[in-house]
Amino acid sequence: MSQTRQQILILHLALPSLESDTVAWALYDGATPSGTLPMQSGDSYEPPYSSVLEAMRDGWNVIQVPPLPLYIHGYEHESGHLPYEYVLERKVALHE
């Protein structure tokens, strides 16, 4: 008998296009055993996927797309949060 667990992948892209390069990421894996350290920021210099489209081709489902940022005249070059955040999920089987 197998059970499934959810994995959540958050990808921040350079541009709003699903084919744009990944610039930051986080992975939350519900399939890891209790007490196991989850992925930490800085664990890898390479993103798990180069784009959202690549992750989709590997079975990830997009569950949230970012709203396009509203840039106010005179503040276009202010720094802040990463504007193009996509949230993806997939179910993985656990075999007991």
Side-chain angles (χ1 to χ4, degrees):
M1 178 175 184
S2 71
Q3 299 176 347
T4 60
R5 295 291 185 268
Q6 184 180 39
Q7 295 176 322
I8 298 291
L9 177 63
I10 300 171
L11 297 179
H12 293 270
L13 304 186
L15 299 169
S17 167
L18 295 176
E19 296 177 288
S20 181
D21 292 335
T22 299
V23 296
W25 61 92
L27 174 65
Y28 301 94
D29 189 351
T32 57
S34 182
T36 303
L37 285 176
M39 182 190 111
Q40 299 292 312
S41 296
D43 278 357
S44 172
Y45 290 109
E46 295 296 321
Y49 297 97
S50 63
S51 69
V52 169
L53 191 57
E54 183 182 314
M56 291 169 60
R57 289 179 177 140
D58 196 34
W60 289 88
N61 301 303
V62 177
I63 60 173
Q64 178 182 313
V65 297
L68 292 177
L70 175 64
Y71 295 110
I72 300 170
H73 181 69
Y75 295 92
E76 299 91 346
H77 302 289
E78 295 289 323
S79 61
H81 72 284
L82 298 172
Y84 307 117
E85 176 184 86
Y86 291 82
V87 179
L88 301 96
E89 71 90 40
R90 70 177 173 186
K91 303 285 188 188
V92 293
L94 294 180
H95 301 283
E96 297 188 31

